Amino acid sequence: MIHALNRRTLIGAALAAPMLSTTAILRAAEPDLSSLSDLTNAVKSIDAAERAQRIARAQEMMRVADIAAVVIEPGASLTYFTGVKWSRSERVTAAVIPREGEALIVTPFFEEPSVRETLDVPAEVHVWQEDESPLALIAAWLKERKLTTGKLGIEETARFFVSDGLGALLPGVRIVSANPIVRAIRMIKTPAEITLMQAATDVTIAAYRWTWPRVEAGMTGKDVSALMNAATQKLGGEPLFSMALVGEAAAYPHGSRKVHRIAPGEVLLMDCGCSVRDYESDVSRTFSYRNVRPEVRKVWDQVAKGQQIAFAAAKIGAPAGTIDDAVRGYYESLGYGPRYRLPGLSHRTGHGIGMDGHEPINLVHGETTKLAAGMCFSDEPGLYLPGKFGVRLEDCLHMTDAGPKWFSEPPKSIDAPI
């Protein structure tokens, strides 16, 4: 009770001095935060053996598709195959996976020690000096291995100057998308990946359970987000995003610039996620502070049913777009829409998730890719009423041979929102 009183006192002071608001609230919450413990201590990172299996699988698919090699710049795909964690700059660091043999890592000379710190697979590391071309280095390496005819796959997030430069240096190759290799492999998660995504989700749910009872009248979305991020960090997750939309701001899926404060009967829509050992969570909850207005309860219940309709439609072999169609059909029967019009559901029902918070493929109308075991998605069919409020419930699922399985169980009612 002392902690709660301290929070209320500090919030009152913060309302008079808004610039101090978030700092004061976090200071008041510190005794409660100290009671949280890391949930991820026993969680294991992806090991070198699994990365080697990924490369072997990619090479098998490359031989079938007649792709000589695949070029990958820093980002999730580079980490996925090699373990290397690096940021992009004008100085190129990249991996080249040939259809046979060890991968190549190209990096600036002075960055090599740092790049090797996370390199987790056998690979040749070639360095380039400031007055040299990294693309010429890649081209020469491919020529040495007689991989300069046929197709050269470029990972989908690589920058244009990389693919364009390699094309100019290797006139005998045809630059193609590496999606049939990289995307296809990353889309199907292994048990080790599922375990890490489960750990990230467990952290986010635990952070929600800690945060919601500490929300007080007068707080802004920024204040609530700060509490959520602090709890996530104490629980062992790396906070990635924590969006807290109050009142009318919840009517817009990604909020507005207006500052709204928590008050009795006000909607709070939160969309939060973290990373554990490179794998992400994404969970949304919609609350109503102190009491629930009838219209809010009605929409909340409709969204909860929409989420269950999506889950039921997610069957092995079903085209991904049919999940979105099922939800949208239900909402249109209630008078929302039609399609993506407001009031209604203005965004897709879900997206792929893994090392990136948003990955292919999406649960969206027209997507023909069939669901398969190992695919992971968000299930988030919100409803948005411009000028009033919005409701979004989001839980992620993974496909098993027997159908979908939740990473986090959806809440049962707005009275028990977590």
Side-chain angles (χ1 to χ4, degrees):
M1 181 60 68
I2 292 175
H3 294 159
L5 290 173
N6 284 342
R7 281 195 299 273
R8 293 189 186 104
T9 300
L10 286 167
I11 289 167
L15 291 174
M19 291 299 290
L20 300 178
S21 174
T22 299
T23 301
I25 290 167
L26 286 175
R27 189 183 304 122
E30 183 54 40
D32 292 349
L33 283 167
S34 65
S35 68
L36 297 178
S37 58
D38 193 328
L39 301 181
T40 69
N41 286 328
V43 178
K44 295 181 179 180
S45 300
I46 298 298
D47 60 22
E50 178 148 336
R51 294 194 204 282
Q53 291 171 3
R54 294 169 177 178
I55 290 176
R57 176 63 177 144
Q59 290 176 322
E60 177 185 346
M61 297 172 70
M62 288 158 63
R63 289 190 289 269
V64 172
D66 192 28
I67 291 178
V70 168
V71 178
I72 304 172
E73 281 208 87
S77 290
L78 183 66
T79 304
Y80 180 87
F81 285 107
T82 70
V84 172
K85 297 180 182 179
W86 203 248
S87 299
R88 297 184 186 189
S89 74
E90 75 281 6
R91 295 183 173 101
V92 172
T93 289
V96 183
I97 301 175
R99 62 184 169 213
E100 292 181 355
E102 291 185 355
L104 168 71
I105 303 294
V106 169
T107 193
F109 167 75
F110 64 89
E111 303 286 23
E112 180 186 4
S114 300
V115 168
R116 283 189 180 275
E117 287 179 349
T118 51
L119 179 60
D120 201 27
V121 296
E124 296 182 41
V125 179
H126 290 196
V127 299
W128 56 278
Q129 302 292 349
E130 290 281 68
D131 59 350
E132 296 176 328
S133 166
L135 302 182
L137 195 64
I138 292 173
W141 188 85
L142 291 171
K143 288 176 183 177
E144 289 174 6
R145 280 148 190 78
K146 297 180 172 56
L147 297 174
T148 55
T149 59
K151 294 178 282 188
L152 179 64
I154 306 295
E155 195 267 343
E156 64 183 338
T157 68
R159 291 167 292 183
F160 175 76
F161 80 87
V162 172
S163 59
D164 184 58
L166 288 172
L169 291 167
L170 300 167
V173 305
R174 181 159 63 95
I175 301 295
V176 299
S177 170
N179 280 354
I181 311 300
V182 177
R183 179 186 286 190
I185 295 174
R186 284 188 58 189
M187 194 181 300
I188 305 299
K189 272 62 178 182
T190 65
E193 292 178 285
I194 297 295
T195 297
L196 289 168
M197 294 174 69
Q198 184 65 64
T201 303
D202 291 345
V203 166
T204 299
I205 292 295
Y208 269 126
R209 288 177 177 153
W210 183 90
T211 299
W212 172 234
R214 290 162 178 80
V215 172
E216 302 275 4
M219 283 185 177
T220 66
K222 181 180 178 181
D223 301 329
V224 178
S225 292
L227 288 175
M228 185 71 181
N229 284 337
T232 297
Q233 194 162 20
K234 290 288 289 187
L235 290 162
E238 178 186 345
L240 295 176
F241 57 93
S242 177
M243 185 170 63
L245 309 179
V246 180
E248 182 192 353
Y252 314 106
H254 291 157
S256 74
R257 294 186 179 184
K258 296 179 182 178
V259 176
H260 300 269
R261 293 185 180 275
I262 296 290
E266 201 65 274
V267 166
L268 170 64
L269 191 164
M270 296 183 67
D271 188 348
C272 306
C274 72
S275 175
V276 171
R277 313 292 192 270
D278 301 321
Y279 285 81
E280 299 194 11
S281 63
D282 192 355
V283 183
S284 296
R285 291 290 181 265
T286 301
F287 309 89
S288 185
Y289 185 70
R290 295 281 176 88
N291 58 71
V292 184
R293 305 195 308 269
E295 185 180 19
V296 172
R297 183 181 298 277
K298 176 183 175 181
V299 176
W300 197 101
D301 289 344
Q302 290 168 339
V303 172
K305 184 173 180 179
Q307 194 182 34
Q308 292 298 331
I309 287 172
F311 186 81
K315 300 180 183 298
I316 294 292
T322 62
I323 288 80
D324 185 77
D325 294 341
V327 173
R328 219 164 287 280
Y330 165 62
Y331 284 167
E332 289 176 4
S333 76
L334 301 175
Y336 293 109
R339 290 177 50 76
Y340 298 91
R341 295 178 185 171
L342 294 173
L345 173 56
S346 54
H347 58 71
R348 63 202 173 198
T349 294
H351 55 79
I353 186 171
M355 293 182 71
D356 290 313
H358 287 192
E359 294 185 358
I361 54 172
N362 296 312
L363 304 181
V364 65
H365 174 74
E367 177 57 65
T368 59
T369 303
K370 293 182 179 180
L371 302 191
M375 290 182 175
C376 299
F377 302 99
S378 69
D379 179 350
E380 50 177 313
L383 284 172
Y384 308 96
L385 286 65
K388 294 183 177 181
F389 63 90
V391 173
R392 182 161 68 250
L393 303 174
E394 177 184 14
D395 295 274
C396 291
L397 58 89
H398 58 97
M399 299 301 299
T400 74
D401 290 331
K405 183 176 180 180
W406 294 112
F407 281 108
S408 52
E409 288 287 338
K412 301 302 182 185
S413 74
I414 195 169
D415 302 306
I418 48 175

